[in-house]
């Protein structure tokens, strides 16, 4: 019985089982690119691009809010990178924790 035999290897057209039998390998999912019209594919790509743009805009807005919450020196006018923002936030949180620890002692 096929279900009791483990598949040893599988090529695009056949499966070879432990008992040496090979059966045609039937794919259950057709190639999605062959089934979708170019118009639908384009609409889906545009929708995916719009979702990604919204996601990135939300992420960038969150970084901007974080930059506003972190104290920086007045002489440093350049916008912090995302990496620098996260580093500064981590340092700021650690400094606040140290202040709280000192206040409780």
């Amino acid at each position: 019985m096929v279900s009791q035999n483990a598949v040893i290897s599988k090529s695009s057209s056949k499966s070879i089982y432990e008992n040496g039998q090979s059966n045609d390998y039937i794919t259950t999912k057709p190639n999605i690119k062959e089934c979708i019209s170019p118009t639908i594919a384009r609409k889906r790509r545009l929708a995916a691009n719009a979702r990604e743009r919204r996601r990135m805009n939300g992420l960038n807005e969150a970084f901007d809010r974080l930059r506003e919450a972190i104290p920086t020196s007045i002489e440093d006018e350049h916008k912090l990178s995302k990496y620098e923002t996260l580093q500064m936030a981590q340092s700021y949180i650690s400094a606040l924790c140290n202040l709280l620890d000192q206040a409780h002692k």
Side-chain angles (χ1 to χ4, degrees):
M1 182 173 207
V2 172
S3 62
Q4 292 176 349
N5 295 319
V7 175
I8 295 174
S9 70
K10 198 168 26 173
S11 68
S12 60
S13 63
K14 292 195 179 258
S15 297
I16 300 172
Y17 297 94
E18 286 178 343
N19 64 3
Q21 295 176 341
S22 68
N23 294 335
D24 287 334
Y25 180 71
I26 301 169
T27 58
T28 56
K29 225 177 190 180
N31 187 351
I32 193 96
K33 291 183 180 181
E34 294 174 1
C35 298
I36 298 174
S37 74
T39 305
I40 293 173
R42 185 173 187 278
K43 286 180 181 179
R44 286 183 181 177
R45 175 59 19 220
L46 290 174
N49 289 347
R51 285 191 305 272
E52 177 64 10
R53 200 168 22 261
R54 277 193 305 272
R55 186 187 74 81
M56 287 305 300
N57 285 338
L59 185 63
N60 288 332
E61 288 172 7
F63 269 104
D64 288 339
R65 288 192 308 269
L66 184 57
R67 284 183 192 102
E68 291 171 4
I70 299 171
T72 57
S73 64
I74 296 171
E75 55 194 50
D76 195 12
E77 293 289 327
H78 82 282
K79 180 180 170 183
L80 295 174
S81 70
K82 291 176 183 176
Y83 178 74
E84 291 169 332
T85 301
L86 291 174
Q87 281 185 320
M88 292 291 288
Q90 185 179 15
S91 297
Y92 186 52
I93 291 168
S94 293
L96 292 174
C97 287
N98 289 338
L99 281 173
L100 285 173
D101 288 342
Q102 290 174 0
H104 289 309
K105 287 182 182 181

